[in-house]
Amino acid sequence: LEKALIIAAGKGERIKCISKEKPKPLIKLLGLTLIERVILSLKEAGISEVFIVVGYKKEKIVEFFGDGRRYGLRINYIENDEFQRGNGISLLKAKNYLKEKFLLLMSDHIFDEEAIKRVSNFELGDFEIGIVVDRNYPNFIDLGDATKVLVKDGMVVDIGKKIENYNGIDCGIFIVRDTAFKYFEEALSKGEDTLSGMMKEIAIRNKLKAIDFEGKFWIDIDTEKELKTAKKLLLKNLFKETDGPISRYINRPISTKITELLVNLPISPNLMTVISFIISILSSILFLKGNKFYFLIAGIIAQFSSIVDGCDGEIARLKFKKTDFGAWLDSVLDRYSDFFLILGITIGYSIYKGEFSISTFLIGYFAMFGSFMNSYTAVRLDQIIEKKGIKGIRFGRDIRIFLIMIGSILNKLKLLLLILAIITNFISVKRIFFLKKEI
Amino acid sequence: LEKALIIAAGKGERIKCISKEKPKPLIKLLGLTLIERVILSLKEAGISEVFIVVGYKKEKIVEFFGDGRRYGLRINYIENDEFQRGNGISLLKAKNYLKEKFLLLMSDHIFDEEAIKRVSNFELGDFEIGIVVDRNYPNFIDLGDATKVLVKDGMVVDIGKKIENYNGIDCGIFIVRDTAFKYFEEALSKGEDTLSGMMKEIAIRNKLKAIDFEGKFWIDIDTEKELKTAKKLLLKNLFKETDGPISRYINRPISTKITELLVNLPISPNLMTVISFIISILSSILFLKGNKFYFLIAGIIAQFSSIVDGCDGEIARLKFKKTDFGAWLDSVLDRYSDFFLILGITIGYSIYKGEFSISTFLIGYFAMFGSFMNSYTAVRLDQIIEKKGIKGIRFGRDIRIFLIMIGSILNKLKLLLLILAIITNFISVKRIFFLKKEI
């Protein structure tokens, strides 16, 4: 599948107060316009050519995207001056441009990009259409305005805003065989100019296949309230299943708030990685001051750097800027941070005590090595267990840095190093036996 | 492709002095019998059922392999009591057992297992046979005894031991459509009972497709001399392209010699990993003795452990015992070795000097961290560059341990730590910028 059609011609009257001089598709949501999110999701799914049906304030959209080169795909525009009529007209205007199977999307629907990847691989017969249907629709959906569907044996048998018997909601994501245009035209000739009305024409012919929505979220943004909900959903989606407990309950709730602010600035994910690294180095230097007060400050700053360390990945995901290099840089600089932090604590404590005791240095060695081995074994473990689908032993940087903060606040640095040395090395050794048992 | 046929019925007269009471396929070569190597190569290529044509001393082969469960595939036996006749008879005996496409191999041909993986995916039309042909045959081949082929436009047009016009050698690896049995029978009815004679019958019909041998080595073992050559080839094949310079020119030549001895003992690769680790720990402990003589001994032992560290992988490859866990354990224990070695050197040097200087400890910290980062960045780098086919910056453990030996022998431990600290950290930082540039 190479092509996609995005309908972006409508006036979006219910959200006018926000959009002001811009058409609705150009409303910003966490650093990207609504339609940019749709286009970048398509790009990630491997689509190489996009057709946008424009109407209301079309010149603004054309000016914004140009030929699409900046996004790594080709963008073409189809004009629909009848945008005051139903949105089915926009679909019909595309008839001469799409001579194969294509994706059909709305410019104001935001969704987990995994959904598109699944839909792209959906098999269709002649004249058929696949429609993504949410059968466990969440409670924020405006049921009065939503397009409902009735699914029976995998086929949509009824569709419309006002049907009474329904068991799912139309998510606004379709995969269409070009041959189906024939039926759209028949629908129009009967006076039906809305997309759902045209789809009903397909459903009646038993050609409308239901595709279960299995992504994490989707939302149709028609109102300011829905725009806010969409923001919440996107931010919530940044919480990762692999997050450790400290990350989940302390770091992530704060870092997503910071990300929400930063995402509108021209800050790249890699710059954030470096900023977090610098904050951590600052903490290491403060430990060298060698007194209680600075230990407390340094501990808090270390924890802060650990929080900020989440922002690089969050910005990357929100702005479709994930790269292999970024992930690598993040993990390498994390190791440098760990090294300098533990070095700072070891020397700082020695300065505080006024003596360079060999026991402190030895414990420092082991704490540093154990921290490192935790990350090292985790990386290599992931490589292996990913293949086998086994769940590993999680003990991550989030917990280590949190322990550093606690130890620093309590001014128990040697005990802290000892605890780190024991726990981290214990976990590493345990992983060896865990893996031996599992595989 | 699921099935393979191995011909193991012949008397192997030219190698009798070695085989004594055993049939030739049961001759041992670096810890495995010849036919075990063929079977394990098939297993690695995904073959699930093997048919062995047995004749001469057949009960010994059946007793050795049983139903094949021990090897993770099913083994069936086909009897050929006419093993005094040509080896084509053995092929014909299999006719009723193989009703689909299958691999055909000789029990006395040893080859790089990559070859089988390639051949398995080779496409065949009806009645067709694919024959692996070596067109750059090495000089140890006994041209008088080899089966030569003449290849034109990808098809073998002539084949035989005595043809004068040839441009390749038959490697004894075939992929056969069962429908081709018809032609083998026709050949037999003309009095042709050798495999090459029967293949000539296929060649005449323009159904014998040449598959270029692209593996690293293959050899047909008919004589004691060829058995020795095979051993050399297998050992040479243990040198890896990713080996660093010290590994290539010092460690590998010695470790393969050790492996050659160990491969006949019941020592598992993981046991070797642990033994190498223990030797390295011994070296670390000797450093703690804190005097010149013990430094020298410890340095040499460290280098010895680095050499022995190659044996685990070599044994695993020679005996088809490579596992993900083994590779992981090896790399994790290497990190522990590095840690204890540098710790031992740092403390040993302090004992030698009679003072625990902060500069020694700091340099030790950086040397340890740098060594670790070298391995860490390499692992993560590999993950990324494997996808992109970029060559990374190599600086491995072989060089680090070699430097440790030199520094220990010269009794320049602090300088050694300083050099390690600088080089390893320099390489790690360089990798960051290298990767940024490359991707």
Side-chain angles (χ1 to χ4, degrees):
Chain A
L1 201 70
E2 287 169 15
K3 298 184 182 183
L5 178 69
I6 303 173
I7 294 184
K11 278 193 81 168
E13 306 230 313
R14 296 169 59 199
I15 205 165
K16 225 175 181 176
C17 49
I18 294 187
S19 65
K20 290 173 211 152
E21 291 307 299
K22 293 179 291 192
K24 191 167 89 174
L26 293 187
I27 290 177
K28 273 219 171 186
L29 172 59
L30 291 169
L32 293 177
T33 63
L34 297 184
I35 188 169
E36 264 181 310
R37 296 200 164 274
V38 177
I39 288 172
L40 289 167
S41 298
L42 289 169
K43 164 88 174 111
E44 272 201 355
I47 299 290
S48 57
E49 186 164 15
V50 170
F51 293 80
I52 306 179
V53 185
V54 289
Y56 178 69
K57 293 196 174 159
K58 58 191 177 193
E59 62 291 344
K60 301 242 171 181
I61 294 177
V62 175
E63 189 193 344
F64 193 88
F65 288 103
D67 62 1
R69 202 174 304 162
R70 198 154 50 97
Y71 297 88
L73 35 65
R74 199 134 60 95
I75 297 180
N76 311 285
Y77 303 92
I78 300 169
E79 298 199 5
N80 172 18
D81 294 327
E82 302 172 77
F83 58 81
Q84 305 275 18
R85 293 178 66 192
N87 54 357
I89 304 288
S90 286
L91 174 58
L92 270 172
K93 295 277 180 194
K95 188 192 166 192
N96 294 324
Y97 298 89
L98 293 153
K99 300 290 182 192
E100 54 196 285
K101 213 165 71 165
F102 64 93
L103 285 176
L104 169 61
L105 297 150
M106 307 300 123
S107 60
D108 56 0
H109 283 54
I110 297 302
F111 42 81
D112 180 2
E113 52 262 32
E114 286 304 312
I116 292 195
K117 289 179 194 158
R118 270 195 78 234
V119 176
S120 311
N121 298 318
F122 197 75
E123 288 295 323
L124 287 183
D126 232 10
F127 307 108
E128 284 187 336
I129 292 183
I131 174 173
V132 177
V133 170
D134 191 354
R135 305 190 62 168
N136 305 300
Y137 41 93
N139 54 14
F140 56 75
I141 292 236
D142 176 3
L143 276 179
D145 190 57
T147 303
K148 294 122 200 144
V149 295
L150 181 61
V151 181
K152 259 188 196 160
D153 301 330
M155 302 302 286
V156 172
V157 294
D158 199 5
I159 178 168
K161 285 200 178 184
K162 286 175 182 146
I163 64 174
E164 295 206 341
N165 225 335
Y166 62 87
N167 54 14
I169 306 286
D170 160 16
C171 302
I173 306 171
F174 305 85
I175 177 162
V176 181
R177 276 302 298 264
D178 54 307
T179 42
F181 274 111
K182 197 177 80 171
Y183 298 129
F184 299 148
E185 282 172 335
E186 278 181 33
L188 185 65
S189 70
K190 290 179 193 166
E192 188 54 74
D193 68 358
T194 67
L195 196 60
S196 58
M198 287 181 178
M199 289 298 167
K200 184 156 185 169
E201 205 66 27
I202 308 288
I204 286 166
R205 289 177 168 84
N206 206 34
K207 297 276 186 201
L208 193 55
K209 286 183 164 177
I211 306 174
D212 270 332
F213 179 77
E214 290 188 0
K216 290 197 197 121
F217 68 93
W218 70 276
I219 185 168
D220 172 9
I221 300 172
D222 284 326
T223 62
E224 213 172 325
K225 194 179 152 204
E226 282 166 340
L227 189 66
K228 276 185 187 156
T229 308
K231 193 188 252 190
K232 267 186 215 156
L233 290 172
L234 281 172
L235 290 173
K236 203 178 132 197
N237 194 39
L238 297 174
F239 284 70
K240 288 198 255 177
E241 267 182 47
T242 52
D243 279 347
I246 301 298
S247 183
R248 175 168 302 269
Y249 298 109
I250 298 175
N251 300 3
R252 202 60 88 179
I254 304 172
S255 66
T256 51
K257 286 268 177 298
I258 299 172
T259 293
E260 190 182 337
L261 296 172
L262 296 178
V263 88
N264 290 304
L265 304 174
I267 294 177
S268 76
N270 291 345
L271 179 57
M272 275 316 291
T273 304
V274 172
I275 288 172
S276 155
F277 176 65
I278 290 170
I279 296 172
S280 158
I281 294 296
L282 176 67
S283 161
S284 310
I285 292 170
L286 288 177
F287 275 113
L288 298 182
K289 288 278 185 180
N291 77 51
K292 260 167 76 165
F293 174 71
Y294 279 105
F295 290 165
L296 183 144
I297 302 290
I300 291 169
I301 290 179
Q303 176 62 23
F304 180 64
S305 88
S306 174
I307 291 168
V308 173
D309 190 34
C311 295
D312 48 6
E314 294 167 11
I315 293 174
R317 286 174 72 196
L318 278 181
K319 295 182 117 173
F320 294 83
K321 284 187 171 175
K322 282 201 284 185
T323 62
D324 283 336
F325 174 70
W328 185 80
L329 183 70
D330 186 26
S331 63
V332 168
L333 290 191
D334 278 355
R335 300 294 79 73
Y336 277 98
S337 297
D338 288 354
F339 171 68
F340 285 113
L341 266 178
I342 291 177
L343 189 62
I345 292 170
T346 308
I347 298 177
Y349 178 79
S350 302
I351 292 170
Y352 172 67
K353 282 288 173 188
E355 57 158 1
F356 295 97
S357 96
I358 187 162
S359 69
T360 307
F361 270 87
L362 275 182
I363 295 171
Y365 261 120
F366 276 90
M368 185 190 298
F369 177 68
S371 300
F372 207 126
M373 283 310 279
N374 270 193
S375 305
Y376 187 77
T377 51
V379 174
R380 307 225 27 152
L381 208 64
D382 287 348
Q383 285 177 294
I384 299 177
I385 65 182
E386 255 173 36
K387 288 191 220 163
K388 318 234 173 195
I390 306 165
K391 215 177 151 185
I393 299 168
R394 295 219 171 96
F395 182 81
R397 187 167 188 261
D398 58 327
I399 305 176
R400 296 200 300 269
I401 304 289
F402 188 73
L403 288 176
I404 287 178
M405 179 180 70
I406 300 296
S408 308
I409 290 175
L410 300 178
N411 189 20
K412 295 278 180 207
L413 292 186
K414 193 160 180 178
L415 181 64
L416 162 69
L417 289 176
L418 187 64
I419 289 172
L420 279 179
I422 292 170
I423 295 183
T424 54
N425 283 290
F426 174 74
I427 293 280
S428 297
V429 172
K430 200 172 156 192
R431 276 193 182 132
I432 296 176
F433 292 100
F434 161 78
L435 199 63
K436 180 150 180 61
K437 205 181 68 188
E438 287 289 335
I439 61 178
Chain B
L1 200 71
E2 286 170 15
K3 298 184 184 183
L5 178 68
I6 303 173
I7 294 183
K11 279 192 81 169
E13 307 230 315
R14 295 168 60 198
I15 206 166
K16 223 173 182 177
C17 49
I18 295 185
S19 65
K20 291 172 208 153
E21 293 307 297
K22 293 180 292 193
K24 191 168 90 173
L26 293 188
I27 291 176
K28 274 217 168 184
L29 173 60
L30 292 169
L32 294 177
T33 63
L34 298 183
I35 187 170
E36 263 180 312
R37 296 200 164 276
V38 177
I39 289 172
L40 289 166
S41 298
L42 289 169
K43 164 86 174 111
E44 272 200 356
I47 299 291
S48 57
E49 186 164 14
V50 170
F51 293 81
I52 306 179
V53 185
V54 290
Y56 178 69
K57 291 194 174 159
K58 60 191 176 193
E59 62 292 342
K60 300 244 172 180
I61 292 177
V62 175
E63 190 193 344
F64 192 89
F65 288 103
D67 62 1
R69 201 173 305 162
R70 198 154 50 95
Y71 297 88
L73 36 65
R74 200 135 60 95
I75 297 181
N76 310 285
Y77 303 91
I78 300 169
E79 298 199 6
N80 172 17
D81 294 327
E82 302 171 79
F83 57 83
Q84 305 276 19
R85 294 177 65 191
N87 53 357
I89 304 289
S90 285
L91 173 58
L92 270 171
K93 296 276 180 192
K95 187 192 167 191
N96 294 323
Y97 299 89
L98 293 154
K99 300 290 183 192
E100 54 195 285
K101 213 165 71 165
F102 64 94
L103 285 176
L104 168 62
L105 298 150
M106 307 300 123
S107 60
D108 55 0
H109 282 54
I110 298 303
F111 42 81
D112 180 2
E113 52 263 32
E114 286 305 312
I116 292 195
K117 289 179 194 157
R118 271 196 78 232
V119 175
S120 312
N121 298 319
F122 197 75
E123 289 295 322
L124 286 184
D126 232 10
F127 307 108
E128 282 187 336
I129 293 183
I131 175 174
V132 177
V133 169
D134 190 354
R135 304 188 64 166
N136 304 301
Y137 42 93
N139 54 12
F140 56 75
I141 292 232
D142 175 2
L143 277 178
D145 190 56
T147 304
K148 294 122 200 146
V149 296
L150 181 62
V151 181
K152 258 188 197 157
D153 300 330
M155 303 301 286
V156 172
V157 295
D158 199 3
I159 176 169
K161 286 200 177 183
K162 289 177 180 144
I163 64 173
E164 295 205 342
N165 225 334
Y166 61 87
N167 53 14
I169 305 286
D170 160 17
C171 302
I173 306 171
F174 305 85
I175 179 162
V176 182
R177 276 300 299 264
D178 54 307
T179 42
F181 274 112
K182 198 178 80 172
Y183 298 129
F184 299 147
E185 282 171 335
E186 278 180 34
L188 185 66
S189 70
K190 291 180 192 166
E192 187 53 72
D193 68 358
T194 68
L195 196 60
S196 58
M198 288 180 176
M199 289 299 168
K200 182 154 185 170
E201 205 65 26
I202 308 289
I204 288 165
R205 290 178 168 84
N206 205 34
K207 297 276 185 200
L208 194 55
K209 286 184 163 176
I211 306 174
D212 270 333
F213 179 78
E214 290 188 359
K216 288 198 198 121
F217 68 93
W218 71 276
I219 183 167
D220 172 9
I221 300 171
D222 285 326
T223 62
E224 213 173 324
K225 194 179 151 205
E226 282 165 342
L227 188 67
K228 276 185 187 154
T229 307
K231 191 187 254 190
K232 269 186 215 154
L233 289 172
L234 281 171
L235 291 172
K236 202 179 133 199
N237 193 40
L238 296 174
F239 284 70
K240 289 198 255 176
E241 267 183 44
T242 51
D243 280 346
I246 301 297
S247 185
R248 174 168 302 269
Y249 299 109
I250 299 175
N251 300 3
R252 203 59 89 178
I254 304 173
S255 67
T256 51
K257 285 269 178 297
I258 299 172
T259 293
E260 191 181 336
L261 297 171
L262 295 178
V263 89
N264 290 304
L265 305 173
I267 293 177
S268 75
N270 291 345
L271 180 58
M272 274 317 292
T273 304
V274 172
I275 289 172
S276 154
F277 176 66
I278 290 170
I279 296 172
S280 157
I281 294 296
L282 177 67
S283 161
S284 309
I285 292 170
L286 289 178
F287 275 112
L288 298 183
K289 287 278 185 180
N291 76 52
K292 259 167 78 167
F293 173 71
Y294 278 104
F295 291 165
L296 183 143
I297 303 290
I300 291 169
I301 290 179
Q303 175 62 24
F304 180 63
S305 87
S306 174
I307 291 168
V308 173
D309 191 34
C311 295
D312 49 7
E314 293 168 12
I315 293 174
R317 287 174 73 196
L318 277 180
K319 295 181 117 174
F320 294 83
K321 284 187 170 174
K322 282 200 285 184
T323 62
D324 283 336
F325 174 70
W328 185 80
L329 183 71
D330 187 26
S331 63
V332 168
L333 290 190
D334 277 355
R335 301 294 78 73
Y336 277 97
S337 297
D338 289 354
F339 170 68
F340 285 113
L341 268 177
I342 290 177
L343 187 62
I345 293 169
T346 308
I347 298 178
Y349 179 78
S350 303
I351 292 170
Y352 173 69
K353 283 286 173 190
E355 58 158 1
F356 295 95
S357 96
I358 188 163
S359 70
T360 307
F361 271 85
L362 275 183
I363 294 171
Y365 265 120
F366 275 90
M368 192 223 300
F369 177 69
S371 300
F372 208 126
M373 282 310 280
N374 271 192
S375 305
Y376 187 79
T377 51
V379 174
R380 307 225 28 150
L381 208 65
D382 286 348
Q383 285 177 293
I384 300 177
I385 65 181
E386 254 172 37
K387 289 191 222 163
K388 319 232 172 195
I390 306 165
K391 217 177 150 184
I393 300 169
R394 294 218 173 100
F395 183 80
R397 187 168 187 262
D398 58 326
I399 305 176
R400 296 200 300 268
I401 304 288
F402 187 74
L403 288 176
I404 287 178
M405 179 181 70
I406 300 296
S408 308
I409 290 175
L410 300 177
N411 190 21
K412 296 276 182 208
L413 292 186
K414 193 160 181 178
L415 181 64
L416 163 69
L417 289 176
L418 187 64
I419 288 172
L420 278 179
I422 292 169
I423 295 184
T424 54
N425 283 291
F426 173 74
I427 293 280
S428 298
V429 172
K430 198 171 157 192
R431 278 197 179 126
I432 295 176
F433 292 99
F434 162 78
L435 199 62
K436 182 151 179 60
K437 204 182 67 184
E438 286 290 336
I439 62 177

